[in-house]
Amino acid sequence: MRPRSLILGRGRWGTNIARTLDSMNEHWFMAGSERNEPAEDWTAVFIATPATTHFALVAEFLPKRIPIFCEK
């Protein structure tokens, strides 16, 4: 089954979010800055990257009306 949620950030918070999604039987994909997937492919996005990257990432997904969780 194709992942539905995208987790951006592979650090401590990205790992915590992945563990929570696992406990909910949610299919997810974790990526760093090298991701190549189109923004439209996701039903939810979890941003757990450094704070300086948050604005650009939220600005990418917000116009697509994809629910966003931005850590910090």
Side-chain angles (χ1 to χ4, degrees):
M1 175 178 251
R2 183 169 173 79
R4 298 177 5 172
S5 296
L6 174 63
I7 303 170
L8 297 175
R10 295 182 177 180
R12 182 172 45 112
W13 278 108
T15 303
N16 288 341
I17 293 168
R19 187 174 26 254
T20 300
L21 292 175
D22 275 344
S23 72
M24 298 166 44
N25 293 321
E26 178 71 26
H27 297 281
W28 54 270
F29 178 79
M30 185 180 284
S33 58
E34 77 285 351
R35 68 186 173 78
N36 298 328
E37 303 79 16
E40 295 82 7
D41 286 354
W42 308 105
T43 57
V45 176
F46 296 84
I47 298 173
T49 57
T52 56
T53 65
H54 289 179
F55 180 82
L57 292 170
V58 170
E60 177 183 352
F61 291 99
L62 200 57
K64 311 260 190 268
R65 302 183 59 94
I66 297 171
I68 301 167
F69 171 86
C70 188
E71 191 276 321
K72 298 267 193 246

